[in-house]
Amino acid sequence: MKYNHRIIEPKWQKRWEEQQIFRAEDNSDKPKFYALVEFPYPSGAGMHVGHIKAYSGLEVISRRRRMQGYNVLFPIGFDSFGLPTENYAIRTGVHPRVATDENIKKFTAQLRRVGFSFDWSRTVDTTDEKYYKWTQWIFLRMFEHGLVFRDKALVNYCPSCCVVLSNEDSQGGKCDICHSDVVQKSKDVWYLRITKYADRLLGGLERVDYPPNIKQQQINWIGKSTGAFADFRLVGTDDSLRIYTTRPDTMFGATFMVIAPEHPIIEKYKDRIKNLDEIYAYREECAKKTEFERTQLAKEKTGVKIEGLKAQNPLSGRTIPVYIADYVMMGYGTGAIMAVPAHDERDYEFARKFGIEIIEVIKGGDISKAPYIGEGEMINSGFLNGIKTVKEAVAAAISKLEELGVGCGGVQYKMKDWAFNRQRYWGEPIPIIHCNKCGMVPVPYDELPLVLPPVDNFEPGEGGESPLAKIEEFVNCKCPRCGSGAKRETDTMPQWAGSSWYFLRYLDPDNDRAFADPDKLRYWLPVDWYNGGMEHVTRHLIYSRFWHKFLYDIGEVPCDEPYDKRTAQGLILGPDGEKMSKSKGNVVDTNDVVEEFGADVLRLYILFMGDYEKAAPWSESSVRGCKRFLDKVAALPGIAKGQGVTPALDPKFHKTIKKVSLDIEEMKFNTAIAALMTLLNDINEHGALTIDELKIFIKLLCPFAPHLTEEIWEELGGEGFLSLAAWPEYDEAKTVDEQVEVAVQINGRLRGTVMLPLDCPRDEALAIARADEKIAPMLAGVNIVKEILVPNRIINFVVK
RNA sequence: GCGGGUAUGGCGGAAUCGGAAGACGCGCCGGAUUUAGGAUCCGGUGGGCAACCGUACAGGUUCGACCCCUGUUACCCGCACCA
């Protein structure tokens, strides 16, 4: 067969599209399978091979599922709101809407050229007002249920992008988009109360099939710790300072307290503080530091003693000094700690530097040299003395605190509420109206979508105001509640909003009465298999689980967890082994590969290059190897004749069907393809195969190389589309050989091999091995101490 | 620092349960074909002349270890003064 990918690939793409063969049915007797891939951000740079890898895994699985008789939903869409497009607009003056439409067109063309079996009738675009109407709708439902609040807060602010960032977007003190240093700034911030769902986001992980590393990352991100709150009375006042600790058992060893530089107690008692100037100076110094410097560079403990404030330890009754120091963060716990230098490294370091007393309360270490963190008998601790385990001592301390009414057991999370606004144009407008009389009033549901007004200038305002604030006709409005003059919120939602629920919209993308029809939600949910990148494991994945759980709580979706199973593909590195990036010039463009080698080769190589879940460098010569393989496949019809099976090849076919079937399920695509290559080599060695066998071969290859295999199928006179033909079955009995080659070892060293019938009885097998012409001389005159037989595998003689 | 992971030929990577290490592909070497190059086809390819030696390093368990145990090193990812 003549194999010209430039002709056959467009031919089959056109036929699939005309016949709509990858369209999912909303009601079907077949079992359903919902495969989800992370929809792309349509950037101006176009698609690189990494995108293709991200979709290829579930592409193969979806194609196999269809051949297995499933009703498969494999949708695609575009996550189009976001900064790169807006920055492009600022630079060039091209409206984000125009740029987005162009980029979507470009991405669509590229995806179609690769021949993905997406259901193109369900495409969504998060920037389409018919889509973001429902993003706003969900936001308002959250508002209604008290999950949205506004607060003045110190926020992560990127001075370059002029935008407020969530903790997730400013990891390491760098802006996730432009990588400049993030500074702290006081701003009005919209929050989503994700912390209310912290425990359920944690608990839900036990019921889903995610790889352990993904679960661990989410667990770390949520960061639950259990401990206790305790109130330390401020001497000479009726007030007390509340602390959080995971080690209430060590409270008798607390010899000082530390509060965060921003702690409000300073302002409250500034009249009592004698060294206020010193403290203000310290606080200012801290504010200048970025979060990054504060956490990474400031290894040396710094701080100032607050003269004039003393606190009383609620259990020991001891009066202790209070320090201000930046090793305590306002954002975690209560912003105040009790310091137990004998049993905490940071407190130990601080106490040493400031000459504060260190009291040992757990036996087992040498506190003159280092803090002791381990278990041991409690000492110097009043009613706790003699207790030998941390667990018991913690419980005893907490019940005492509760009895005295000065504390209680409690939990803390590292996860913070989700800062949900950006001072940017290219996002969903937050549908809230500020009225002087009524306060924050939601835009009525029947006025949704609240459409982004057209603007000419996309530059953020001074101090990071949204460009929307400059548009009077947008800002000025009537309060929906009292009718008086009011102002619209001008901030927009963050990029993560639209992607938090897109998998629901695929189920009913054109619905204008609901985000999706309940029957369709019931039919398709949950997502059976979700694949995406590791970089989205702590952000998008947690956010979307949170939204889904909320929708479940208000009865809008039928299940609590959106994704049954999650996997993550590894990166494709550049040919130089480095992460692909424009600046390094090592980006491989999909169009170039499709043009030169064809979509089938591209798809095949991407899955053959290595473990799907691991990173691997691109190699053009290896791409050629895949091309060679498909060329050889294209030649098979030339040697195929007759029907039925070829006895010499039949067991190999059964083995290959089994291996390919099982490997695909485990995403071991590389070994599945290797098995097909091996089978091809066997066929060519034999020199012939039957038409029936060739049909099996191309069915197995179809999910990987659908265009070529469809072409061969047509040439063979196959009925309908190969893409919808039945997946081959194998006979387990035929996957095992009747004769097996068994290795013979002497003292664990390979000395020869013997051919044995399958499951040969022990005595017979050993006798044959002993009599083997190579083995027999080596056993002559030695003493056989032990004979080991692993059936069908190995024989080992232990001799002396 | 804490948590997770990885380490196998010149390269990407294989190896159900502890049972013949290096499947498959690339590259390389030799040959055929070709005016030549490319492409294609055939053969070879962990190291060593050999006995043997080889899965990051040092030990251990075992008839037998890439696989299990102890220790070490290097690299990658995530979190990071989380009280």
Side-chain angles (χ1 to χ4, degrees), chain A residues 54 61 87 135 150 164 194 204 221 245 328 383 409 426 550 592 601 609 611 621 676 678 682 686 745 771:
Chain A
I61 287 162
N87 289 339
T135 311
R150 198 166 151 88
V164 173
I194 190 172
W221 191 259
T245 178
V328 172
F383 67 96
W426 198 228
F550 166 70
D592 298 343
V601 172
M609 61 196 295
D611 186 332
S621 49
L676 288 166
T678 307
D682 289 339
H686 186 261
Q745 300 179 333

Side-chain angles (χ1 to χ4, degrees), chain A residues 40-56 106-107 110-111 114 116 535 569-574 578-582 586-594 602 606 618:
Chain A
Y41 177 77
S43 73
M47 249 191 296
H48 60 78
V49 288
H51 286 103
I52 307 300
K53 184 172 179 186
Y55 311 142
S56 291
K106 190 150 120 193
F107 268 60
Q110 279 186 296
L111 286 168
V114 179
F116 285 116
E535 68 273 22
Q569 78 281 354
L571 290 176
I572 297 182
L573 306 173
E578 299 286 317
K579 203 169 160 175
M580 279 192 194
S581 77
K582 239 201 255 169
N586 60 353
V587 177
V588 180
D589 184 84
T590 65
N591 278 340
D592 298 343
V593 183
V594 171
L602 172 68
I606 279 177
W618 185 266

Side-chain angles (χ1 to χ4, degrees), chain A residues 573-646:
Chain A
L573 306 173
D576 53 359
E578 299 286 317
K579 203 169 160 175
M580 279 192 194
S581 77
K582 239 201 255 169
S583 58
K584 286 197 200 103
N586 60 353
V587 177
V588 180
D589 184 84
T590 65
N591 278 340
D592 298 343
V593 183
V594 171
E595 180 59 30
E596 185 174 355
F597 299 101
D600 283 338
V601 172
L602 172 68
R603 298 163 56 115
L604 195 71
Y605 171 63
I606 279 177
L607 294 177
F608 181 63
M609 61 196 295
D611 186 332
Y612 186 67
E613 318 213 4
K614 286 196 196 123
W618 185 266
S619 153
E620 183 153 325
S621 49
S622 291
V623 176
R624 282 209 182 82
C626 289
K627 169 79 171 146
R628 241 169 255 163
F629 169 65
L630 290 188
D631 284 339
K632 289 182 203 167
V633 171
L636 283 179
I639 60 165
K641 29 185 151 342
Q643 308 296 315
V645 301
T646 309

Side-chain angles (χ1 to χ4, degrees), chain A residues 6-189:
Chain A
R6 294 195 184 88
I7 294 168
I8 67 168
E9 287 178 354
K11 165 183 162 184
W12 287 102
Q13 285 159 16
K14 192 164 162 246
R15 287 207 193 164
W16 294 332
E17 178 60 21
E18 280 165 3
Q19 304 287 319
Q20 295 282 306
I21 67 168
F22 302 127
R23 222 170 160 147
E25 299 163 52
D26 283 324
N27 274 301
S28 167
D29 296 335
K30 298 176 183 173
K32 69 98 184 177
F33 183 73
Y34 184 1
L36 183 68
V37 291
E38 284 171 352
F39 60 164
Y41 177 77
S43 73
M47 249 191 296
H48 60 78
V49 288
H51 286 103
I52 307 300
K53 184 172 179 186
Y55 311 142
S56 291
L58 284 182
E59 158 75 357
V60 166
I61 287 162
S62 293
R63 280 184 172 269
R64 175 163 127 87
R65 284 284 185 281
R66 280 188 208 98
M67 295 172 79
Q68 288 175 302
Y70 283 80
N71 178 31
V72 172
L73 172 56
F74 187 40
I76 190 73
F78 300 95
D79 188 14
S80 327
F81 273 132
L83 279 178
T85 305
E86 181 158 351
N87 289 339
Y88 178 75
I90 292 170
R91 239 180 17 250
T92 64
V94 175
H95 194 282
R97 177 73 269 155
V98 175
T100 296
D101 287 343
E102 261 173 35
N103 291 342
I104 287 180
K105 227 184 257 169
K106 190 150 120 193
F107 268 60
T108 302
Q110 279 186 296
L111 286 168
R112 285 189 181 270
R113 274 192 91 183
V114 179
F116 285 116
S117 63
F118 293 128
D119 180 346
W120 286 100
S121 72
R122 295 171 183 258
T123 313
V124 301
D125 167 9
T126 54
T127 61
D128 183 341
E129 59 186 60
K130 294 191 191 103
Y131 180 92
Y132 70 69
K133 168 181 180 176
W134 299 104
T135 311
Q136 292 172 329
W137 182 88
I138 296 170
F139 176 86
L140 288 183
R141 295 299 303 267
M142 287 183 153
F143 185 86
E144 235 171 57
H145 284 82
L147 288 177
V148 179
F149 66 100
R150 198 166 151 88
D151 196 8
K152 239 190 179 31
L154 278 178
V155 296
N156 306 304
Y157 179 77
C158 173
S160 163
C161 301
C162 295
V163 70
V164 173
L165 298 166
S166 68
N167 291 317
E168 286 86 341
D169 292 339
S170 54
Q171 297 182 33
K174 301 273 180 199
C175 170
D176 202 46
I177 291 132
C178 70
H179 306 287
S180 32
D181 282 337
V182 168
V183 298
Q184 302 294 302
K185 192 169 177 174
S186 177
K187 266 212 161 287
D188 272 326
V189 178

Side-chain angles (χ1 to χ4, degrees), chain A residues 449-683:
Chain A
L450 174 58
V451 177
L452 260 178
V455 298
D456 306 323
N457 181 2
F458 307 101
E459 293 275 359
E462 275 301 303
E465 241 186 15
S466 165
L468 293 182
K470 290 180 259 181
I471 306 172
E472 298 206 349
E473 4 3 328
F474 177 78
V475 175
N476 297 317
C477 62
K478 292 252 178 309
C479 170
R481 206 163 282 166
C482 70
S484 56
K487 288 194 185 306
R488 280 191 199 282
E489 173 61 51
T490 57
D491 284 358
T492 54
M493 298 186 196
Q495 233 211 302
W496 308 102
S499 59
S500 291
W501 70 283
Y502 73 112
F503 56 97
L504 302 173
R505 188 61 175 173
Y506 284 141
L507 306 182
D508 199 5
D510 299 318
N511 197 326
D512 56 7
R513 295 179 322 279
F515 66 86
D517 179 82
D519 285 336
K520 293 178 181 173
L521 291 165
R522 250 193 307 280
Y523 176 73
W524 283 112
L525 289 177
V527 172
D528 292 282
W529 196 331
Y530 189 16
N531 186 75
M534 279 307 289
E535 68 273 22
H536 290 131
V537 160
T538 48
R539 299 187 266 186
H540 160 65
L541 211 56
I542 288 187
Y543 293 153
S544 61
R545 289 180 61 220
F546 160 49
W547 278 41
H548 192 84
K549 281 175 184 296
F550 166 70
L551 291 172
Y552 175 71
D553 289 350
I554 61 170
E556 296 286 344
V557 294
C559 55
D560 180 43
E561 281 289 338
Y563 317 120
D564 256 4
K565 178 183 174 97
R566 165 82 189 196
T567 50
Q569 78 281 354
L571 290 176
I572 297 182
L573 306 173
D576 53 359
E578 299 286 317
K579 203 169 160 175
M580 279 192 194
S581 77
K582 239 201 255 169
S583 58
K584 286 197 200 103
N586 60 353
V587 177
V588 180
D589 184 84
T590 65
N591 278 340
D592 298 343
V593 183
V594 171
E595 180 59 30
E596 185 174 355
F597 299 101
D600 283 338
V601 172
L602 172 68
R603 298 163 56 115
L604 195 71
Y605 171 63
I606 279 177
L607 294 177
F608 181 63
M609 61 196 295
D611 186 332
Y612 186 67
E613 318 213 4
K614 286 196 196 123
W618 185 266
S619 153
E620 183 153 325
S621 49
S622 291
V623 176
R624 282 209 182 82
C626 289
K627 169 79 171 146
R628 241 169 255 163
F629 169 65
L630 290 188
D631 284 339
K632 289 182 203 167
V633 171
L636 283 179
I639 60 165
K641 29 185 151 342
Q643 308 296 315
V645 301
T646 309
L649 293 175
D650 196 41
K652 292 182 167 138
F653 266 93
H654 284 274
K655 279 184 206 170
T656 308
I657 296 169
K658 180 179 181 181
K659 176 135 188 80
V660 172
S661 302
L662 297 179
D663 280 356
I664 286 177
E665 288 310 304
E666 290 172 49
M667 294 191 132
K668 290 164 76 174
F669 306 116
N670 53 338
T671 51
I673 294 165
L676 288 166
M677 290 174 167
T678 307
L679 180 58
L680 177 85
N681 292 343
D682 289 339
I683 291 167

